[in-house]
Amino acid sequence: MSTMSESRVEHPSDPARRILVWDAPVRVFHWLFALSFAGAYLTAESERWRLVHVTLGYTVAGLVAFRLLWGLVGTRHARFRSFVRGPAAVRRYLQAMLRGSPPHSTGHNPAGAVAIVGLLTLAALVSVTGWATYEGIRGLSSEDLHELLANAMLALVVVHVAGVLLGSWLERENLVTAMFTGRKLGPLSRAITSSRAWVAALLLVAVGAFWAWQWQAAPPGSTAAPASNGSGEHRDHDDD
Ligand code: HEM
Ligand code: HEM
């Protein structure tokens, strides 16, 4: 179980060096998640791009499901129990951040973890309300709720990216590069031993296959009709 003691500890016998922290599935998940969210957001308004919007939205939903599973069975720093902390730890970390000297974390820092849980939760809610809107499931005014939640998620993404940049500066480590290479500073005893590249490859194949399937199932000459429902019984949307 992890605590603040997971921060980098300078033991002469185990000094901080560049070690493998993020496995390949976490990195592939991250950039697919960010790209799919950005793509879904950018295609949201136009009826012409509806199928792309829906495809990327479902991709976000699938990625959340994958990440929840990987948070249980993934490598050390990918597991939720290694980085999700209680409010007291988050408060302590934020106070240290305000003083300009947050402790270095080998995995996610406690404040970043809050944003991560928030992003995954919002992504799931945005996907469900998007699906309800698309399928014409009324009752709850899902259209407005969907847009509201998507905008709340965008706001949290801005906070997340700002937090990553601030954290990189205060912790004197480029966290963005680490999300590509998987390597961060830390004692060797905290390194993961395998990047689980085959899981990342499976994830890429699954997402690629889903996109290809959506592409070939799209009705010719139309990007608006769904591939997931042959009936085409969806309500029309105004294009503005
Ligand atoms: C250019 C934009 C982005 C950059 C530079 C970036 C960078 C990062 C970095 C460096 C981390 C690791 C933080 C740490 O060290 O604790 C991270 C984690 C994360 N980011 Fe981003 N991010 C970006 C966009 C996004 C977007 C758009 C989303 C959501 C839609 C997102 C969701 C997440 C999630 C869920 C994690 C946790 C990863 C995991 O443990 O699986 N990020 N991001
Ligand atoms: C991360 C994923 C998603 C994001 C960020 C997102 C974002 C948005 C936003 C901001 C709008 C409002 C556009 C506007 O009218 O200004 C919208 C509309 C819409 N979204 Fe999504 N969405 C996502 C996922 C989904 C999914 C999974 C579906 C369907 C399965 C979906 C279906 C729709 C539909 C049908 C509309 C049009 C609602 C209307 O008639 O105005 N979205 N989306």
Side-chain angles (χ1 to χ4, degrees):
M1 182 77 190
S2 120
T3 62
M4 287 294 272
S5 65
E6 281 208 348
S7 304
R8 184 176 57 188
V9 184
E10 301 281 0
H11 288 303
S13 58
D14 194 0
R17 59 192 103 189
R18 216 149 278 288
I19 55 166
L20 187 61
V21 170
W22 305 130
D23 58 36
V26 163
R27 286 176 272 149
V28 166
F29 156 81
H30 180 268
W31 295 114
L32 279 177
F33 193 57
L35 276 178
S36 303
F37 168 78
Y41 199 90
L42 291 173
T43 53
E45 278 197 32
S46 161
E47 181 69 25
R48 195 178 143 71
W49 289 94
R50 185 64 75 227
L51 186 56
V52 175
H53 176 76
V54 166
T55 300
L56 293 175
Y58 282 143
T59 306
V60 165
L63 287 168
V64 170
F66 167 80
R67 188 62 184 91
L68 292 181
L69 188 68
W70 200 240
L72 300 178
V73 302
T75 59
R76 184 173 185 166
H77 303 287
R79 294 193 184 210
F80 294 123
R81 75 189 161 102
S82 81
F83 66 86
V84 178
R85 319 262 165 79
V90 175
R91 201 172 45 246
R92 271 199 306 277
Y93 182 87
L94 287 174
Q95 282 164 351
M97 211 171 183
L98 285 176
R99 288 195 302 271
S101 57
H104 183 282
S105 307
T106 310
H108 295 302
N109 70 52
V114 174
I116 291 165
V117 171
L119 285 170
L120 292 175
T121 308
L122 279 173
L125 294 175
V126 170
S127 305
V128 169
T129 51
W131 169 79
T133 307
Y134 195 50
E135 297 296 332
I137 298 171
R138 305 294 186 100
L140 61 156
S141 154
S142 58
E143 191 177 312
D144 291 344
L145 191 58
H146 179 59
E147 189 172 351
L148 182 79
L149 288 166
N151 286 325
M153 189 169 164
L154 178 67
L156 193 52
V157 164
V158 172
V159 172
H160 161 65
V161 175
V164 165
L165 297 180
L166 185 65
S168 298
W169 183 55
L170 293 175
E171 295 193 28
R172 286 168 186 77
E173 177 170 30
N174 189 332
L175 299 175
V176 181
T177 312
M179 237 327 138
F180 285 101
T181 63
R183 294 187 178 273
K184 289 186 73 180
L185 282 174
L188 204 54
S189 58
R190 301 203 47 74
I192 57 169
T193 49
S194 159
S195 71
R196 300 281 200 280
W198 64 274
V199 180
L202 279 180
L203 183 61
L204 274 172
V205 168
V207 169
F210 175 61
W211 287 353
W213 175 66
Q214 287 287 85
W215 177 265
Q216 64 83 30
S222 160
T223 51
S228 53
N229 179 340
S231 71
E233 287 293 307
H234 296 269
R235 67 191 180 78
D236 291 324
H237 305 281
D238 293 326
D239 211 359
D240 42 37

